[in-house]
Amino acid sequence: MGLRTFQPCPLFLDTWQPMNLWLSTAMTETRAGVEEAYERHLGLTRGLSAHTTRAYLGDLRSLLDFLDIDEGDTLETLSLGGLNLRGWLATQIAAGTSRTTIARRVASIRTFFAWAHDQGIASFGDVAKLKAPRPDQVLPKTLTKDEVGRLLDHACLESHNDAAGLRTWAALELLYATGLRISELVGLDLTDIDHSSFLVRVTGKGDKQRIVPFGKPALLALEEYLEKGRPGLAAPASGAAVFLGDKGGRLDARVLRGTLHRLTARAGVPDIGPHGLRHCAATHLLDGGADIRSVQEILGHTSLATTQRYTHISMSRLNAAYQQAHPRA
């Protein structure tokens, strides 16, 4: 097996230098074994979500596939010197991968090599010098307040006291009211909801907990579902999960995502996914006068910069309203 050779890509290093990356020949663990150990590290030690863990593992597998490393090969196969990470990233760019995804993959591979170095099976080498392109500043897609209202009203009308319909209505009302991630929503337990205080305890990324308020419409939908919908879905193995699937287990996020896409078409509003409702919640909070620090706490953002992108949407809408309404705009 020979190492693939590519020309240096200017996105990653100002000056082309060999990477000086190597994996130890002393360890004979197979690729499959390393991936399994790394997955445990991401999920158990670092507490990353299942979605993030899958993404990081996918990035690692993409690199190893690029290097023609099979699952049964040992790490000795990687004792090549000068691993051409830039060549791998260059193929991503050639395939039209977004700058945001490229930036995540750079971070992902740096995370892997840092872990492998700590395990004594890899040299971190020059991977720390690998530079990622700036992520695309793409504004999130959102609906107007009226469009969200039509969507939620349609969900209510379609519930028909049906267990699945009531579940959809309650889930969407709570997503919009709280700005939860879909993984956080389906992870809720009955004890996480304080009905009298209109509060929900959320376990977010890295197992960090936060308390998020919600309003009366969400409470109404939630109580309807818990009284008339959830009992029809519950099974002995349901446990304390709030949102249940058709077989009684915790609701699969993919089911809710597909239901929402179909519902937007029937409601006559632009297509949007569950994460889009999170964007709507953040934008409409800022439109309504909420301060950005409060929105940051509600959304569970570690960095204020992540929350600040919603201010651009609010300002663009303000500017559009000004241009339309002011006689001398």
Side-chain angles (χ1 to χ4, degrees):
M1 181 192 68
L3 181 66
R4 303 185 186 189
T5 302
F6 286 82
Q7 293 299 314
C9 178
L11 276 176
F12 307 118
L13 275 184
D14 298 329
T15 303
W16 174 257
Q17 297 290 339
M19 287 300 291
N20 288 333
L21 294 174
W22 57 273
L23 292 180
S24 170
T25 60
M27 176 155 179
T28 58
E29 181 66 84
T30 63
R31 165 183 166 173
V34 169
E35 289 178 3
E36 183 179 348
Y38 185 51
E39 182 176 11
R40 288 196 301 269
H41 165 72
L42 293 174
L44 300 178
T45 305
R46 295 197 58 187
L48 300 183
S49 69
H51 176 77
T52 303
T53 297
R54 284 194 301 270
Y56 273 39
L57 281 174
D59 295 337
L60 174 60
R61 288 166 180 157
S62 173
L63 172 63
L64 296 179
D65 288 343
F66 171 77
L67 295 170
D68 293 327
I69 307 301
D70 296 326
E71 286 195 1
D73 290 342
T74 68
L75 290 188
E76 291 177 337
T77 315
L78 285 177
S79 299
L80 304 170
L83 289 181
N84 197 343
L85 294 183
R86 295 181 196 80
W88 171 64
L89 292 170
T91 63
Q92 313 295 313
I93 294 173
T97 305
S98 71
R99 295 169 68 90
T100 300
T101 301
I102 293 292
R104 190 210 70 212
R105 287 178 178 167
V106 170
S108 174
I109 294 304
R110 289 180 61 172
T111 298
F112 168 73
F113 272 97
W115 169 80
H117 175 75
D118 290 342
Q119 299 302 306
I121 61 174
S123 169
F124 200 56
D126 289 339
V127 70
K129 301 178 183 177
L130 195 66
K131 294 184 178 180
R134 287 183 176 274
D136 298 314
Q137 295 299 315
V138 178
L139 295 179
K141 180 180 178 181
T142 62
L143 303 180
T144 65
K145 295 175 185 177
D146 287 342
E147 288 170 338
V148 173
R150 290 208 306 273
L151 175 65
L152 296 178
D153 287 346
H154 204 82
C156 175
L157 290 173
E158 285 196 3
S159 63
H160 301 305
N161 290 325
D162 168 73
L166 289 168
R167 178 186 65 199
T168 298
W169 177 34
L172 298 187
E173 284 280 7
L174 199 58
L175 278 175
Y176 178 59
T178 59
L180 296 187
R181 302 176 180 92
I182 189 170
S183 59
E184 296 170 341
L185 179 90
V186 299
L188 289 177
D189 288 335
L190 295 171
T191 53
D192 291 328
I193 300 171
D194 186 336
H195 297 250
S196 61
S197 300
F198 297 86
L199 297 172
V200 59
R201 182 176 62 240
V202 183
T203 302
K205 292 183 177 181
D207 287 333
K208 295 179 180 178
Q209 291 193 341
R210 66 187 189 276
I211 303 297
V212 181
F214 59 89
K216 291 182 179 179
L219 180 63
L220 172 63
L222 189 59
E223 291 185 337
E224 283 285 304
Y225 161 69
L226 292 176
E227 179 183 347
K228 302 175 182 178
R230 189 181 183 280
L233 298 170
S238 296
V242 173
F243 293 101
L244 302 178
D246 294 340
K247 295 183 179 180
R250 198 176 289 274
L251 178 64
D252 190 324
R254 292 172 295 182
V255 173
L256 182 57
R257 187 176 290 109
T259 301
L260 177 54
H261 286 306
R262 292 189 291 271
L263 187 63
T264 55
R266 296 196 297 271
V269 301
D271 186 36
I272 199 169
H275 209 71
L277 283 179
R278 175 173 164 87
H279 296 323
C280 292
T283 305
H284 297 168
L285 279 168
L286 290 168
D287 285 345
D291 68 272
I292 193 168
R293 288 287 183 183
S294 297
V295 176
Q296 179 189 10
E297 289 293 325
I298 289 172
L299 297 182
H301 286 157
T302 302
S303 170
L304 186 63
T306 307
T307 316
Q308 284 176 331
R309 61 180 174 163
Y310 296 109
T311 63
H312 298 299
I313 302 174
S314 297
M315 290 304 297
S316 64
R317 288 183 176 174
L318 178 62
N319 184 59
Y322 177 84
Q323 295 294 331
Q324 179 180 359
H326 199 285
R328 299 184 72 84

